[in-house]
Amino acid sequence: MSDTTIFALASGGARAGVAVLRLSGPGAADALAALTPGKAVPAARRAALRDLCDPRSGEILDQGLVLCFPGPGSFTGEDVVELHLHGGPAVVEGVLAALGRIPGLRPAEAGEFTRRAFLNGRLDLTQAEAIADLVAAETSEQRRQALDQAAGALGQIYEGWRARLIAAIAHVEAGIDFADEDLPKDIDRAARDALAVLAGEISAHLDDGRRGERLRAGVHLALLGRPNAGKSTLLNLLAGRDAAIVSETAGTTRDVIEVHLDLGGVPVIVADTAGLRDSTDAVEREGVRRAAARAEGADLKLIVLDRADWPDVPDDLRALAADGRALVLVNKADLAPVDAPGDLDGAPVLVLSARTGAGVEAFIARLTETVRGLALAGAGAAPGPTRARHRHALEEARAALTQALDGWSNRGPELVAEDLRLAARAIGRITGRVDVEDLLDVIFADFCIGK
Ligand code: GDP
């Protein structure tokens, strides 16, 4: 438990009807008493209306609701006080300044409330990360994933795995300590089989197509095609606003423009890239280079073709469609009829007119379905990793576990136990159960003040 008491504005910085200041630490209740002279500190978890005064001058700074959450049952595990003030800058600044003059109090650092909650055992690291994700969530599916994780869904999986590893370590170590007593062979086989099952579970969990990470960070789409194919027009249609410049002159989309969309609850980042063609203009060439690079890293490519390029699709564009991560759009269907296409080297082909809107609804429906498939696991599926940090630790655990299984009967129990310990430690790092000091700064650096 910390002996300092921290305070911060927990609500956002914007002018608002209500602002919430939060205090946590042993001096929280005394600080409240100092701001509300002559008044008793309210009962636990009961709101009370109070004048809040500057302890030095006695001047009333605001009237608001105050709440006490005594530790250890509070968010941080410490004594917590919340002040619900009028959310104007002068009120907030005045109360923050008054708090800063109370001995033993200091402004909180970024993420410090959640960090204290972790250090006091109120939540594990996956839950702490989920709180940051929940605050950052922009779409309904992101919110769902973060809430699930905040409730411990992911942490429980990892803790369950770690418990099974620890049980196996105990078994193997029993074999070391009591070698002469000949542990029954079938027990040994059962332990090994159980670990093989665990290795399979970890592999299946890792093999989720990075859906959890994609949902957290956004599905990346690249709009690709010749200049004037209609990419910008299409992007504007998707975005419902004039995000990219639409022009009659070829090659005006020189840089990469990003538009953030919510498609079926999944965050999508669409990059409109420069037209793919040979160009003598150095700036446009740079744009084309970036377009190609963008396409490499994209989760899905939208290849926009002018109907004149269908069905004889130029080779470079056709090559982009070939890797199974593309939708082909034959645009400008208003100018002349387009033969009913099926697919292009396995990539679905849709016909539309960005100008008249014909076929656009079907395209958006298809795109939404594809994007949801990339970012969401099926209904009822167990949650997957949501950060590269989880993935790396799990891969390390799986490698150590595989080594233990491979060497089970010939490497000797000491080495097998050591491999299992490595695996358990790697998984323990995800939830923060072991050697995490160096990790904490990295994780809590993502937070802003007041969380
Ligand atoms: P980009 O270079 O691929 O981004 O293409 P733009 O979106 O700038 O479009 C180039 C030109 O094609 C503009 O004049 C658009 O108005 C026009 N255009 C885009 N989509 C359609 C369409 O479906 N039908 C017709 N007739 N013209 C279109």
Side-chain angles (χ1 to χ4, degrees):
M1 289 277 169
S2 175
D3 55 8
T4 57
T5 298
I6 53 174
F7 63 92
L9 179 65
S11 51
R15 209 179 288 263
V18 179
V20 178
L21 298 196
R22 184 151 61 167
L23 291 77
S24 179
D30 286 348
L32 176 60
L35 291 178
T36 54
K39 292 282 187 179
V41 168
R45 297 176 296 280
R46 290 292 172 90
L49 186 65
R50 293 279 189 271
D51 285 337
L52 296 159
C53 304
D54 185 332
R56 243 185 0 189
S57 63
E59 183 194 359
I60 294 179
L61 300 169
D62 194 16
Q63 190 181 54
L65 288 181
V66 303
L67 280 145
C68 295
F69 302 90
S74 67
F75 173 66
T76 59
E78 304 174 329
D79 288 347
V80 169
V81 165
E82 277 183 17
L83 310 175
H84 296 217
L85 312 169
H86 293 101
V91 171
V92 171
E93 283 310 314
V95 177
L96 286 175
L99 287 171
R101 286 193 294 268
I102 298 175
L105 264 62
R106 67 162 170 80
E109 288 162 19
E112 199 170 4
F113 288 93
T114 314
R115 187 180 186 128
R116 287 189 174 192
F118 167 71
L119 291 173
N120 293 328
R122 300 292 292 163
L123 32 79
D124 71 29
L125 285 183
T126 64
Q127 292 173 302
E129 288 169 329
I131 289 175
D133 292 348
L134 195 51
V135 173
E138 288 179 334
T139 72
S140 55
E141 295 294 350
Q142 283 182 313
R143 179 187 65 221
R144 212 162 284 156
Q145 172 164 281
L147 268 178
D148 238 30
Q149 190 174 323
L154 200 54
Q156 277 157 20
I157 294 175
Y158 300 145
E159 276 308 297
W161 288 349
R162 200 169 70 95
R164 283 155 70 185
L165 282 166
I166 289 167
I169 294 166
H171 166 82
V172 173
E173 285 182 340
I176 301 169
D177 297 341
F178 306 105
D180 297 343
E181 290 163 37
D182 274 335
L183 283 174
K185 277 274 175 279
D186 52 344
I187 292 186
D188 188 67
R189 193 172 313 120
R192 187 184 165 162
D193 289 350
L195 286 177
V197 169
L198 175 57
E201 285 175 40
I202 296 176
S203 287
H205 180 79
L206 280 169
D207 195 17
D208 76 330
R210 293 180 191 273
R211 286 194 181 85
E213 283 156 271
R214 271 209 201 104
L215 179 56
R216 208 186 133 256
V219 173
H220 283 85
L221 294 191
L223 263 175
L224 298 159
R226 290 272 183 275
N228 266 339
K231 297 179 297 301
S232 310
T233 313
L234 207 55
L235 180 60
N236 290 345
L237 263 178
L238 276 175
R241 64 189 168 93
D242 282 353
I245 312 145
V246 181
S247 128
E248 300 278 350
T249 332
T252 46
T253 314
R254 285 186 168 159
D255 211 329
V256 177
I257 295 168
E258 278 194 351
V259 175
H260 292 239
L261 305 174
D262 176 341
L263 286 181
V266 174
V268 173
I269 300 154
V270 192
D272 180 21
T273 59
L276 293 180
R277 64 164 192 187
D278 291 331
S279 170
T280 48
D281 180 318
V283 178
E284 191 181 313
R285 267 209 309 273
E286 172 59 15
V288 171
R289 195 191 62 73
R290 287 187 200 178
R294 189 80 203 193
E296 282 288 302
D299 297 309
L300 184 70
K301 287 169 285 188
L302 294 180
I303 300 168
V304 184
L305 299 176
D306 188 303
R307 58 154 309 288
D309 280 333
W310 182 266
D312 299 318
V313 180
D315 287 346
D316 57 334
L317 294 172
R318 190 173 193 125
L320 287 171
D323 67 359
R325 291 184 296 128
L327 278 183
V328 177
L329 308 173
V330 182
N331 189 30
K332 308 197 185 183
D334 54 299
L335 295 179
V338 176
D339 282 346
D343 68 283
L344 179 67
D345 300 341
V349 176
L350 304 173
V351 177
L352 50 80
S353 165
R355 176 164 287 174
T356 66
V360 169
E361 208 168 297
F363 155 60
I364 292 177
R366 180 63 179 262
L367 180 62
T368 303
E369 182 194 315
T370 308
V371 155
R372 283 178 62 90
L374 286 168
L376 304 178
T386 54
R387 291 178 191 243
R389 185 181 85 79
H390 308 158
R391 185 169 294 280
H392 291 152
L394 290 168
E395 280 165 355
E396 198 180 315
R398 180 174 57 177
L401 180 52
T402 305
Q403 185 158 300
L405 286 168
D406 290 348
W408 195 265
S409 35
N410 52 31
R411 286 184 80 222
E414 287 85 357
L415 289 179
V416 169
E418 188 51 31
D419 287 335
L420 294 177
R421 255 195 299 277
L422 278 177
R425 220 174 292 141
I427 289 180
R429 278 208 310 276
I430 309 178
T431 52
R433 295 291 180 242
V434 284
D435 52 70
V436 289
E437 277 309 318
D438 48 340
L439 260 176
L440 294 188
D441 289 331
V442 178
I443 290 169
F444 291 102
D446 279 355
F447 281 79
C448 48
I449 309 284
K451 272 192 263 165

